[in-house]
C-alpha cells in the first residue's frame, strides 16, 4: 500500500499532544521520531525523520486522506500506540494494523514463518489477526476494543467483554525469541483463577508483563534481569508465574506502572510497592516504600516513575526512594498524568 505523505504535512508543534480515545470520523494523528522499519508509516526507513536539535519536535500529520490503511466510509482510527520500533492502529471496526517490527533489532521470521510476513510488508502496514481460544483466526474482533497499550516488543488490547489479547515476542524473556504476528487471547488456563475471578489489570513493560487478578493476585512473565517480575531470583520466565505478594489479601491494587526494568504498584489505600532489591536477603521482590504520604495516582515513562499525592504534590519514585519534584511554581490542576 503506497503512502501519499506530503511534505506540507510536517508540522511544528510547540507542546505535547494529548491524544484522546474518542476520535471522531475526521481524525488527526501526529508522529515523530525514528522511522526504523517504517514505524512512522511513511513507507521507508530514515535514521531521523526530522532535525532532533530543533527547539520543538516536528511531527508528521495523518488524516483520512493520507493514512496508509484502507478505511471504509464509517470506519475511523480509534486507538494509536507506539512501541520501540512499531506503531499500532486500531479502528472502530476492531481491526488492528502494525507498522514497523515488534522485535527489536534485525527482523527475523517466526520459527516456521507461518504468518507469511516479510520485512518489506512492515513498512506499509500489516493487518494483525486475532486467534480465538478455539483456534479460529479472525481479521477483526466481533466486539468493541476498549483499550490498547504497547511496550518495547509487544502490545495488548482489551475488549468490551473484559477479555485481554496480546501479541509480539513469543519469547518474552530475551531478544532472541520469535515474533507472533497475531493477537492471542489471555487464556484463563495460563493463570490460576476461580470461576468468578476476573483479570483486573494487564500492564506491559519493556520486556515483561504484569497481570493482576481480582485486584489482589499478581502474575508476571518475561525478563527478570532487573527484578521487574518481583521474583526472588534473576531468572526470566516464558510462562505466567504467581508472585508471592499480598498473600494475606490485605491490599487491593488500584494501578500498576512499569518501566523497562521495574514495576510499581499503587494500592487503593494509597501505598506504593516497588520491585527493589531487599537488603535483608538480597532477593528481588515487591517491597513497601515506607512513607506517610498517601498517593492517588502513578505513571511511568521509559525509565522513571512519578506519583501524585492526595494533596496534589508530584513525587519522583526511584529504587524505593521518593523525592518531591520542583515544578518551578507551576500549579498542578490535573489528577492524572
Amino acid at each position: 500500500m503506497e503512502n501519499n505523505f506530503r511534505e506540507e504535512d510536517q508540522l511544528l508543534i510547540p507542546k505535547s499532544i494529548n491524544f484522546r480515545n474518542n476520535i471522531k470520523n475526521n481524525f488527526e494523528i501526529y508522529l515523530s521520531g525514528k522511522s526504523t522499519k517504517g514505524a512512522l508509516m511513511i513507507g521507508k526507513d530514515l535514521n531521523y525523520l526530522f532535525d532532533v536539535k530543533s527547539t520543538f519536535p516536528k511531527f508528521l500529520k495523518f488524516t483520512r486522506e493520507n493514512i496508509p490503511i484502507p478505511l471504509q466510509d464509517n470506519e475511523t482510527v480509534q486507538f494509536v500506540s507506539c512501541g520501540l520500533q512499531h506503531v499500532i492502529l486500531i479502528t472502530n471496526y476492531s481491526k488492528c494494523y502494525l507498522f514497523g517490527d515488534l522485535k527489536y533489532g534485525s527482523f527475523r521470521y517466526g520459527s516456521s514463518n507461518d504468518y507469511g510476513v516479510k520485512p518489506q510488508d512492515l513498512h506499509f502496514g500489516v493487518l494483525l489477526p486475532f486467534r480465538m481460544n478455539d483456534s479460529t483466526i479472525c481479521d477483526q474482533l466481533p466486539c468493541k476494543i476498549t483499550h490498547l497499550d504497547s511496550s518495547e516488543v509487544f502490545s495488548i488490547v482489551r475488549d468490551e467483554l473484559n477479555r485481554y489479547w496480546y501479541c509480539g515476542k513469543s519469547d518474552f524473556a530475551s531478544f532472541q525469541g520469535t515474533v507472533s504476528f497475531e493477537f492471542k487471547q489471555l487464556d484463563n488456563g495460563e493463570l490460576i483463577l476461580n470461576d468468578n475471578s476476573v483479570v483486573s489489570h494487564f500492564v506491559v513493560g519493556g520486556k515483561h508483563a504484569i497481570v493482576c487478578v481480582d485486584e489482589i493476585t499478581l502474575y508476571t512473565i518475561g525478563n527478570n534481569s532487573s527484578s521487574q517480575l518481583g521474583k526472588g531470583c534473576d531468572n526470566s520466565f516464558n510462562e505466567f508465574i504467581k508472585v508471592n505478594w499480598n498473600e494475606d489479601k490485605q491490599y487491593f491494587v488500584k494501578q500498576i506502572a512499569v518501566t523497562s526494568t521495574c514495576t510499581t504498584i499503587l494500592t487503593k489505600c494509597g501505598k506504593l510497592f516497588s520491585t527493589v532489591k531487599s537488603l535483608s536477603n538480597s532477593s528481588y521482590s515487591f517491597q513497601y516504600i515506607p512513607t506517610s504520604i498517601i498517593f492517588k495516582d502513578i505513571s511511568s515513562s521509559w525509565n522513571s516513575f512519578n506519583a501524585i499525592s492526595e494533596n496534589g504534590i508530584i513525587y519522583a519514585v526511584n529504587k524505593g526512594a521518593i523525592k518531591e519534584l520542583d515544578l518551578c511554581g507551576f500549579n498542578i490542576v490535573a489528577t492524572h498524568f
Side-chain angles (χ1 to χ4, degrees):
M1 185 184 306
E2 186 175 355
N3 187 313
N4 59 342
F5 166 73
R6 302 170 300 177
E7 291 298 323
E8 56 265 32
D9 284 327
Q10 298 183 18
L11 295 186
L12 187 65
I13 308 295
K15 58 183 179 180
S16 62
I17 300 297
N18 183 12
F19 188 80
R20 300 182 180 274
N21 295 337
N22 55 344
I23 303 174
K24 296 182 179 179
N25 195 35
N26 294 321
F27 58 84
E28 293 180 356
I29 298 173
Y30 300 88
L31 296 176
S32 184
K34 285 188 176 183
S35 188
T36 307
K37 304 178 184 178
L40 293 188
M41 304 192 301
I42 58 175
K44 56 185 177 181
D45 290 344
L46 289 174
N47 288 334
Y48 281 96
L49 184 58
F50 300 117
D51 180 12
V52 296
K53 297 181 180 179
S54 60
T55 303
F56 299 112
K58 293 182 178 180
F59 287 79
L60 284 170
K61 176 183 177 182
F62 292 93
T63 64
R64 292 190 67 88
E65 285 68 35
N66 70 337
I67 193 77
I69 59 174
L71 293 176
Q72 302 181 37
D73 291 341
N74 295 322
E75 189 176 13
T76 187
V77 176
Q78 185 178 16
F79 296 101
V80 178
S81 187
C82 299
L84 185 62
Q85 293 184 160
H86 71 272
V87 167
I88 284 184
L89 308 176
I90 289 183
T91 74
N92 59 329
Y93 283 19
S94 296
K95 292 182 179 179
C96 181
Y97 294 90
L98 167 70
F99 290 84
D101 196 358
L102 291 166
K103 181 175 176 60
Y104 177 75
S106 59
F107 178 91
R108 291 184 178 90
Y109 294 112
S111 57
S112 61
N113 194 20
D114 293 336
Y115 302 102
V117 177
K118 299 178 180 179
Q120 58 267 30
D121 296 336
L122 300 172
H123 287 71
F124 301 100
V126 295
L127 181 65
L128 297 180
F130 293 84
R131 181 176 292 274
M132 315 302 282
N133 279 343
D134 62 359
S135 296
T136 59
I137 298 178
C138 305
D139 286 341
Q140 63 190 95
L141 280 179
C143 54
K144 181 180 179 181
I145 292 176
T146 59
H147 175 77
L148 166 67
D149 190 18
S150 291
S151 72
E152 187 174 308
V153 291
F154 55 99
S155 297
I156 61 171
V157 299
R158 182 181 67 237
D159 65 20
E160 60 185 345
L161 301 179
N162 202 39
R163 299 178 299 182
Y164 285 88
W165 311 74
Y166 63 94
C167 74
K169 290 289 297 300
S170 299
D171 179 359
F172 285 75
S174 73
F175 284 129
Q176 304 305 318
T178 58
V179 177
S180 171
F181 288 101
E182 65 182 19
F183 277 95
K184 175 187 176 183
Q185 185 176 350
L186 179 63
D187 189 357
N188 289 349
E190 300 178 67
L191 312 174
I192 303 175
L193 302 180
N194 299 322
D195 292 339
N196 297 324
S197 294
V198 296
V199 174
S200 54
H201 304 77
F202 189 176
V203 184
V204 289
K207 295 182 288 295
H208 73 291
I210 308 292
V211 172
C212 182
V213 177
D214 297 332
E215 301 180 341
I216 296 176
T217 307
L218 297 179
Y219 293 86
T220 56
I221 187 173
N223 189 290
N224 195 41
S225 59
S226 299
S227 79
Q228 57 264 52
L229 298 188
K231 293 293 293 182
C233 63
D234 293 329
N235 297 335
S236 299
F237 298 88
N238 294 323
E239 297 179 350
F240 281 99
I241 54 174
K242 185 178 179 181
V243 178
N244 295 325
W245 175 81
N246 199 26
E247 292 295 312
D248 56 1
K249 301 182 180 179
Q250 179 180 357
Y251 300 105
F252 290 91
V253 175
K254 180 180 180 181
Q255 288 178 269
I256 302 175
V258 292
T259 67
S260 59
T261 59
C262 187
T263 303
T264 298
I265 296 170
L266 172 64
T267 67
K268 288 190 174 182
C269 62
K271 296 182 182 294
L272 292 179
F273 292 81
S274 187
T275 52
V276 295
K277 195 169 186 177
S278 172
L279 298 178
S280 59
N281 56 18
S282 299
S283 65
Y284 296 136
S285 61
F286 282 94
Q287 300 288 324
Y288 169 61
I289 301 178
T291 177
S292 59
I293 303 170
I294 299 176
F295 295 97
K296 63 178 180 179
D297 210 342
I298 187 170
S299 69
S300 59
S301 63
W302 181 253
N303 58 4
S304 63
F305 294 98
N306 289 322
I308 185 169
S309 71
E310 61 177 358
N311 297 324
I313 301 174
I314 295 180
Y315 296 83
V317 182
N318 183 29
K319 296 181 179 179
I322 299 174
K323 180 181 180 181
E324 183 177 343
L325 294 181
D326 183 4
L327 300 176
C328 302
F330 285 96
N331 293 322
I332 302 300
V333 297
T335 58
H336 187 74
F337 53 97

